[in-house]
Amino acid sequence: MSASLFLFRLIPPRADFAQTMTDAERHAMDGHTEYWRALLDAGRVVVYGPVADPEGVWGLGVLRGADRAEVLAIGEADPSVLAGVNTFEVLEILGGTTG
């Protein structure tokens, strides 16, 4: 079975989170960054990074996965989610292709 593509949106706790992180939140985000770099290195992630939304920065990732449940499990294991700092949502990219 080939992998599908999924949009992962990391939702911070407040609009100014990128500018006002506490030390504990920054530590959780350092773990988040390491986690996503490992996913990228393993070929699970197509692209990831912060989005400069005028309403507040949030995180975007595009992942390869067998199904939504697999990608939800990846999100639930994100250190920033485990620390209770961020939440997330996952949406399938219908018919998505990569170059």
Side-chain angles (χ1 to χ4, degrees), residues 58-97:
W58 52 273
L60 173 136
V62 175
L63 294 101
R64 294 181 178 94
D67 55 33
R68 187 170 185 272
E70 180 182 14
V71 177
L72 285 170
I74 289 170
E76 290 165 357
D78 182 309
S80 72
V81 173
L82 289 172
V85 173
N86 295 310
T87 59
F88 69 94
E89 62 186 12
V90 170
L91 302 164
E92 185 172 0
I93 300 171
L94 300 174
T97 58

Side-chain angles (χ1 to χ4, degrees), residues 3-59:
S4 296
L5 294 173
F6 295 85
L7 172 83
F8 177 93
R9 180 176 174 161
L10 189 71
I11 304 166
R14 55 191 177 277
D16 65 349
F17 177 69
Q19 296 80 28
T20 64
M21 275 186 259
T22 66
D23 289 341
E25 290 169 335
R26 188 168 309 282
H27 179 72
M29 291 307 294
D30 289 344
H32 161 79
T33 301
E34 291 173 18
Y35 180 71
W36 279 80
R37 181 166 308 279
L39 290 168
L40 179 71
D41 292 346
R44 301 301 305 276
V45 173
V46 176
V47 62
Y48 75 96
V51 175
D53 184 332
E55 298 295 320
V57 174
W58 52 273

